[in-house]
Amino acid sequence: MKTRENTILEVPGIKVGQVSDLEALTGCTVILCERGAVCGVDVRGGAPGSRETDLLRPENLVDKVHAVFLAGGSAFGLDGASGVMEYLEEKGLGFDVGVTHVPIVPASVLFDLTVGNYKVRPDKGMGYKACEKATDEYVEQGNVGAGTGATVGKILGMKNCMKSGLGTYAKKVGNLVVGAIVAVNALGDVVDPGNGEILAGALKDDLKEFADTLKIMEKLDIQEEGKNVFIGNTTIGVVATNARLTKAEAKKVASMAHNGLAKTIRPCHTMYDGDTIYALSTADLKADINLVGSLACEVMAQAVINAVINARGIGGLKSYNDIKMG
C-alpha cells in the first residue's frame, strides 16, 4: 500500500526511500532529512546491530544528522549506510571538516538471514539506490524496505513464525506533527493493545492458531533449550517531529516511543531482540516534550500494527491476512 497521509512523511523535511529484493527477501529503508535534523537514540534490546549511536549521545560533538538507515542483512547490512554517505557527500551534506562534508548516518539492522537467500544482503549500492528513490510523496508499507524479510513469533522456530513487515503512522495536534516508521522483526507476538488479541506471532503446528509466545516462555527454559532458535530478531524504527528538540530531548522522545513497542509486542525488549528507536527533530516548533513523547508512543504502536496488517505471506510464511481470511 502506497500513501502519504498519516505517515511519517507528514513531518516536514522527511523523505523515505526503499529498496526491496523480493526474491532474496531483504531490503533497506532510508529516512532522509536533507536540511538536517537533531537526532537521539534509545537502544532497548539485548542484541542490537548499529553504527553511529555513540555519536548521538548528548555530550558528543555532532548535533545533526542527514539520514537514518534501516536494513535487513544482520551486521552485513550496515554496509548499506556507506551508500547513503556517498549520496549525501555528493550533495555536499554532512559535518564540515574543511576538505569535505562527512555525512552522519546512524544505522540499525535486523536479522533476516534465515528468510530467503542469506547470501544476498543490503550493500552500498542498495543504500545509494534507496536515496535516489527517496520521496516525500508516498511511502509503501508491508513487505518492503527493511521489512522485506521481517518476521514475528519465532519462539518455536521459523516454521511456526509469521510474516511481518514495515509500517508507518503519524498524528497531528494543531501544528505539531509526530510520525513513526518501523520494521517489525520481533521474537514476540504483535497484539492489539486495545484488547490484547494476537494479530501475528508464533503459530501452533497446524499453522492456523496462535501458540502465544508469552505462555510458551513461561514453560520453556530458553537458556537451556532455545539456543539458536531466538537469534533472528530486532525491531528498528524512527520517530520524527517538527517540534524543536535538543539531543537530550530527542533521546527522551525515543525512549518514550519504545512504550509503543511495549504496547504492541509481547514480550518486548528481550535479550534476543535488538530493539532500537531513533528520534528526529526536523523543525523549530515550540511544543511540550511530554506531549511529543506521548504522541511518539501512540504513533509507534500504530506503525507496528500497520507493519503486520500490510504484510503479505511469502516464502512459505503466513501473514495476518492469511490467518484472518482463514
Side-chain angles (χ1 to χ4, degrees):
M1 181 180 72
K2 294 182 178 181
T3 183
R4 183 184 189 280
E5 293 183 357
N6 301 320
T7 74
I8 195 170
L9 296 182
E10 299 268 22
V11 180
I14 293 292
K15 293 182 179 179
V16 173
Q18 306 194 85
V19 176
S20 313
D21 188 329
L22 294 176
E23 292 186 4
L25 293 182
T26 194
C28 65
T29 299
V30 61
I31 297 90
L32 284 183
C33 34
E34 294 176 336
R35 295 198 297 263
V38 174
C39 186
V41 66
D42 190 3
V43 181
R44 293 285 180 91
S50 58
R51 57 180 276 177
E52 300 285 31
T53 51
D54 280 349
L55 196 60
L56 301 181
R57 292 180 178 177
E59 69 269 22
N60 289 337
L61 177 62
V62 175
D63 62 351
K64 285 191 175 182
V65 306
H66 292 86
V68 175
F69 181 72
L70 308 176
S74 190
F76 296 110
L78 290 172
D79 182 43
S82 298
V84 181
M85 290 186 67
E86 180 178 320
Y87 176 88
L88 291 171
E89 184 185 22
E90 289 175 357
K91 288 183 169 291
L93 299 174
F95 186 72
D96 188 354
V97 294
V99 294
T100 187
H101 288 78
V102 179
I104 307 302
V105 183
S108 286
V109 291
L110 55 80
F111 187 102
D112 58 5
L113 300 181
T114 51
V115 180
N117 184 355
Y118 74 92
K119 294 183 178 180
V120 178
R121 306 110 180 203
D123 57 13
K124 183 177 181 179
M126 187 180 283
Y128 189 95
K129 186 176 180 180
C131 292
E132 290 183 312
K133 296 177 66 174
T135 177
D136 58 5
E137 295 180 359
Y138 68 87
V139 57
E140 194 171 357
Q141 302 184 67
N143 298 7
V144 294
T148 304
T151 51
V152 293
K154 284 158 278 192
I155 196 164
L156 296 177
M158 294 303 295
K159 64 181 177 59
N160 295 77
C161 74
M162 284 180 63
K163 187 71 186 71
S164 180
L166 178 135
T168 179
Y169 191 68
K171 290 189 71 172
K172 295 180 180 179
V173 176
N175 293 323
L176 174 66
V177 187
V178 181
I181 190 167
V182 62
V184 182
N185 193 61
L187 166 69
D189 304 325
V190 173
V191 303
D192 182 334
N195 56 23
E197 176 187 356
I198 298 175
L199 302 177
L203 296 171
K204 295 180 180 179
D205 288 338
D206 62 6
L207 301 183
K208 295 180 179 179
E209 297 182 23
F210 292 113
D212 195 322
T213 294
L214 195 55
K215 288 183 178 179
I216 294 171
M217 289 182 70
E218 291 173 355
K219 302 175 181 178
L220 179 67
D221 187 339
I222 293 177
Q223 296 293 336
E224 293 298 321
E225 299 181 39
K227 301 186 188 273
N228 291 332
V229 172
F230 308 107
I231 63 174
N233 311 294
T234 292
T235 295
I236 50 179
V238 173
V239 291
T241 180
N242 62 341
R244 181 175 64 223
L245 301 174
T246 64
K247 285 175 71 176
E249 289 171 333
K251 177 177 173 60
K252 180 61 177 178
V253 169
S255 176
M256 294 177 74
H258 269 285
N259 294 332
L261 302 188
K263 289 175 65 174
T264 52
I265 300 174
R266 189 178 66 198
C268 191
H269 302 141
T270 74
M271 291 298 292
Y272 307 100
D273 292 284
D275 302 335
T276 301
I277 295 178
Y278 298 89
L280 298 173
S281 168
T282 68
D284 204 34
L285 181 77
K286 292 184 179 180
D288 178 11
I289 188 174
N290 299 292
L291 175 59
V292 175
S294 297
L295 291 175
C297 168
E298 296 304 312
V299 297
M300 182 58 71
Q302 187 59 52
V304 170
I305 293 173
N306 288 348
V308 298
I309 66 177
N310 284 289
R312 294 294 180 267
I314 196 170
L317 299 174
K318 290 193 172 184
S319 69
Y320 164 83
N321 288 284
D322 296 323
I323 300 296
K324 181 180 180 181
M325 301 302 292

